[in-house]
Amino acid sequence: MVDNRERIRGPSRDGREGLTSPRHVLRRLLLLSEGRQYREAAGVVGRLGPSLLRSVVSELPMDLLIEALPHSAYLLESFYSRLTAVLPSPKPDVSVEPVVWHLVKLFGNPHESGLRQRCSKLIESIGTWSPTIRDILRERRRALDQAIQGLGIHGLTSDQSGSLTALHTALKTELQRHVDTYKAAIHKLDELSPVTIHQDPAQSSHQRLLAINYDDLQQRLIDNKTVLTLLDKPALKQLGQLVDALSQRVQCDKEVLFCIGEIKRSDPLLSCDYRPVAGIMMNFARGCDSVLRLMGPITVPSSPGGYSCCSDGYHSDSADSLPDETNSELIRNFSMLYSKNRVEIMEYLDSIPQLKNAFYLKTKILFSIIVLAFRSCQGLRERKVAEVRRVLGPTGCDGESSGNTKVSVLNLEKAVRQYLQDTADSVPLGDIEKQVSNQILSTLYEYPCLENCSQLQQYTSSCVRLAWKMVNQSNPYYLDNDFTHGLLQPEKQERHSSYSDRNSNIIRAYVWPALIQEYRCILKAVVIT
């Protein structure tokens, strides 16, 4: 940049320096920028004609102006606005992404006062000049959202008995079971008739097989059935599920590292070694969301009063959170799941003697079911995407890959996710329902009354079916996973009307989780204070 600055300041060799000279304009802009007189510099840009503007913008030291943001926002906004007004086609090669990623960084950690007011017009002008930057931002934000959710899948997993354990422990147990079974099968094969083990190929001809007698047929059946009994065990079928879970975890961590790598490329000074990666990605995602919002108004139907429920005032304060009829219906169903289905199952559980006076236990059961339903459905969705990507995805998508390969992978994933959204009503989810039920029952094994409770199973099915639809939307819904018993946060939590102390802000228990979409709280969590 020193060389660039000297080149701009240096005198013309031929001595021709007029008001219409690109060199003179560049020197003038640089001097005004060094004096932080960005409004005066913007006035100079506003007077430039098309040919002079094209020449100046190709030599502009953009990195200096980017580093000066948000102070230089007025000057950059005048450039992009002027480019849009006088140079519609062909467009000159003007840096857009470096400006946008720097703005994302600023909005992700908003320390500057008045940042939104300073940069809103600049962001609007960038969105007008380069409409494709919106798609890039949305894709990056979606990738960050998925990576953040992927950090939460590394918890405990169900083993064969239905209890929860670490994935590596479950894999070790399952592999040992396979080893023992295979050893027993090999031993049994060694014990079988030499005719079966060391059979002459001629004995397997069609004519010889048709000539087999009754005793040989009976012995062959016994031998094969003995081996089949050893190998065809339900206990041996969990390994595939555990391997799929391990594959999903590997893929999720790769996506996290990819997202962090992209963030570091846009902000080389960022130190990620000792900071929680979730915080880094959430800050960057927040910045993406803010920049996207400022690129232009988003018209959405209003929701006066939100969604109310019968007893707890459970509603959404976000008037801009219902983008279309489908989403409105999903949100309404989620609200009804709390206000109607949950109330009905609570009344039924009250009729069970063991649970009659266990209000907090029943509350935790129903709360856990909806949380586990969302987590399990998110895991299933990512497993399906990973499986298609593994089978059909272009080779070379790991590590260093070409831009075309990355685009192909993104298009493939987009098509798979669209298919999952289109077929959400017809996908069988019995395994997920069973998984959620087993986790509840294995934790509450001292309450056998829950095992045959058909109403609870129906409630679980409703939670899983709705969760599957909501996590497979174009802008997926997810639950706020912050369940710390700290102080009430009014922006995303509200008190349960019947069991809360109105004079206290200390959370004692969670009754229902908050519903989130695009980092906005659509429906607040219900808590007991």
Side-chain angles (χ1 to χ4, degrees):
M1 279 302 98
V2 173
D3 295 337
N4 195 11
R5 192 175 300 176
E6 291 300 325
R7 177 168 53 81
I8 294 173
R9 288 181 170 181
S12 173
R13 291 183 179 180
D14 58 9
R16 288 178 295 181
E17 291 274 339
L19 293 176
T20 59
S21 166
R23 184 184 297 273
H24 179 74
V25 173
L26 285 169
R27 186 191 307 115
R28 178 65 175 163
L29 290 176
L30 188 59
L31 290 174
L32 290 172
S33 298
E34 287 181 339
R36 305 187 76 169
Q37 298 176 353
Y38 296 108
R39 289 183 178 273
E40 290 78 359
V44 174
V45 172
R47 295 191 294 271
L48 298 180
S51 60
L52 188 56
L53 178 64
R54 188 183 294 272
S55 300
V56 169
V57 78
S58 64
E59 298 290 334
L60 190 69
M62 189 66 73
D63 53 344
L64 296 179
L65 299 181
I66 292 174
E67 288 299 321
L69 282 169
H71 308 290
S72 60
Y74 199 86
L75 173 57
L76 287 170
E77 185 269 328
S78 67
F79 260 112
Y80 289 113
S81 297
R82 189 69 175 155
L83 286 170
T84 303
V86 303
L87 296 178
S89 180
K91 290 186 176 182
D93 185 16
V94 182
S95 299
V96 172
E97 286 197 38
V99 181
V100 169
W101 298 133
H102 195 84
L103 288 167
V104 166
K105 181 180 73 172
L106 293 177
F107 278 93
N109 295 277
H111 301 305
E112 294 278 351
S113 60
L115 182 63
R116 181 180 295 269
Q117 290 75 11
R118 290 183 178 187
C119 299
S120 59
K121 290 186 178 180
L122 167 61
I123 294 173
E124 288 180 14
S125 62
I126 289 176
T128 304
W129 169 252
S130 179
T132 58
I133 196 64
R134 295 174 183 265
D135 295 331
I136 295 174
L137 275 170
R138 289 194 184 99
E139 192 59 44
R140 179 70 60 84
R141 187 184 60 182
R142 187 189 302 274
L144 289 165
D145 188 18
Q146 294 169 0
I148 293 169
Q149 293 182 21
L151 289 173
I153 71 165
H154 291 259
L156 300 178
T157 187
S158 298
D159 60 11
Q160 185 184 356
S161 64
S163 59
L164 298 178
T165 185
L167 177 59
H168 287 186
T169 302
L171 276 169
K172 181 179 178 180
T173 303
E174 186 67 16
L175 288 171
Q176 187 61 52
R177 186 181 293 114
H178 276 252
V179 169
D180 295 340
T181 301
Y182 295 154
K183 285 182 178 179
I186 292 174
H187 181 69
K188 179 57 65 177
L189 288 170
D190 289 338
E191 293 178 351
L192 293 178
S193 169
V195 176
T196 304
I197 302 300
H198 305 291
Q199 193 175 46
D200 184 356
Q203 298 294 325
S204 297
S205 66
H206 184 67
Q207 291 78 7
R208 294 291 180 88
L209 291 175
L210 292 179
I212 190 172
N213 59 39
Y214 180 82
D215 290 338
D216 290 340
L217 178 62
Q218 190 176 42
Q219 185 60 46
R220 186 176 67 184
L221 173 61
I222 293 172
D223 292 345
N224 288 338
K225 180 61 176 176
T226 301
V227 178
L228 180 63
T229 302
L230 284 172
L231 295 177
D232 189 21
K233 292 183 177 180
L236 296 179
K237 297 181 180 179
Q238 192 189 17
L239 183 59
Q241 299 175 3
L242 295 176
V243 171
D244 288 343
L246 188 63
S247 173
Q248 180 191 4
R249 295 186 179 192
V250 169
Q251 186 61 40
C252 286
D253 281 350
K254 285 169 60 179
E255 291 176 357
V256 171
L257 291 177
F258 174 78
C259 289
I260 294 295
E262 291 292 309
I263 293 174
K264 292 179 70 174
R265 274 189 282 275
S266 63
D267 185 7
L269 300 179
L270 178 67
S271 175
C272 302
D273 295 339
Y274 301 104
R275 293 176 56 189
V277 293
I280 296 173
M281 292 190 295
M282 290 177 71
N283 286 344
F284 202 80
R286 188 184 305 114
C288 289
D289 193 56
S290 298
V291 171
L292 275 171
R293 286 174 179 274
L294 291 175
M295 278 190 176
I298 302 175
T299 305
V300 294
S302 61
S303 174
Y307 290 96
S308 61
C309 84
C310 58
S311 61
D312 297 327
Y314 181 51
H315 66 281
S316 169
D317 290 334
S318 302
D320 60 346
S321 62
L322 308 179
D324 54 42
E325 184 177 351
T326 301
N327 284 350
S328 299
E329 182 66 22
L330 289 174
I331 297 171
R332 189 157 40 244
N333 290 340
F334 186 83
S335 180
M336 291 295 291
L337 194 64
Y338 170 78
S339 61
K340 184 176 183 294
N341 300 56
R342 181 185 169 279
V343 171
E344 292 174 351
I345 189 63
M346 280 288 283
E347 292 177 351
Y348 177 80
L349 294 178
D350 284 340
S351 65
I352 300 177
Q354 280 185 283
L355 300 174
K356 183 173 181 60
N357 298 318
F359 170 78
Y360 282 99
L361 175 61
K362 292 178 291 188
T363 297
K364 190 168 183 63
I365 291 173
L366 302 184
F367 176 81
S368 299
I369 288 175
I370 186 64
V371 172
L372 290 172
F374 266 81
R375 288 179 181 175
S376 299
C377 288
Q378 288 165 349
L380 178 61
R381 177 196 63 191
E382 295 309 315
R383 285 196 299 275
K384 288 182 176 293
V385 173
E387 182 179 357
V388 174
R389 180 168 50 202
R390 185 168 58 248
V391 175
L392 300 179
T395 59
C397 60
D398 297 332
E400 296 294 331
S401 58
S402 66
N404 290 336
T405 302
K406 290 182 179 179
V407 171
S408 299
V409 173
L410 290 176
N411 290 338
L412 174 63
E413 291 190 8
K414 184 177 181 181
V416 174
R417 296 184 190 280
Q418 183 62 48
Y419 174 78
L420 292 178
Q421 180 180 356
D422 294 341
T423 60
D425 289 323
S426 58
V427 174
L429 297 172
D431 290 342
I432 298 297
E433 295 173 14
K434 185 177 180 181
Q435 178 182 337
V436 172
S437 296
N438 286 342
Q439 292 186 62
I440 297 295
L441 296 175
S442 62
T443 304
L444 300 174
Y445 59 88
E446 68 271 28
Y447 292 92
C449 56
L450 297 175
E451 187 170 357
N452 298 318
C453 180
S454 59
Q455 287 80 356
L456 190 62
Q457 293 173 1
Q458 293 174 4
Y459 174 78
T460 302
S461 177
S462 299
C463 290
V464 169
R465 176 57 61 184
L466 180 60
W468 178 250
K469 292 180 182 178
M470 300 190 85
V471 303
N472 282 295
Q473 294 301 301
S474 300
N475 292 321
Y477 294 90
Y478 56 95
L479 303 182
D480 179 26
N481 290 321
D482 181 10
F483 302 134
T484 55
H485 286 195
L487 294 178
L488 181 73
Q489 302 178 52
E491 68 276 6
K492 66 175 184 177
Q493 297 165 346
E494 61 184 18
R495 293 180 180 87
H496 189 285
S497 60
S498 303
Y499 295 92
S500 295
D501 181 356
R502 290 288 173 180
N503 297 320
S504 173
N505 288 328
I506 300 175
I507 297 175
R508 294 174 54 195
Y510 277 82
V511 178
W512 198 251
L515 184 66
I516 306 295
Q517 185 188 46
E518 294 185 338
Y519 304 97
R520 295 176 297 168
C521 181
I522 306 300
L523 295 174
K524 292 183 180 181
V526 179
V527 298
I528 296 176
T529 57

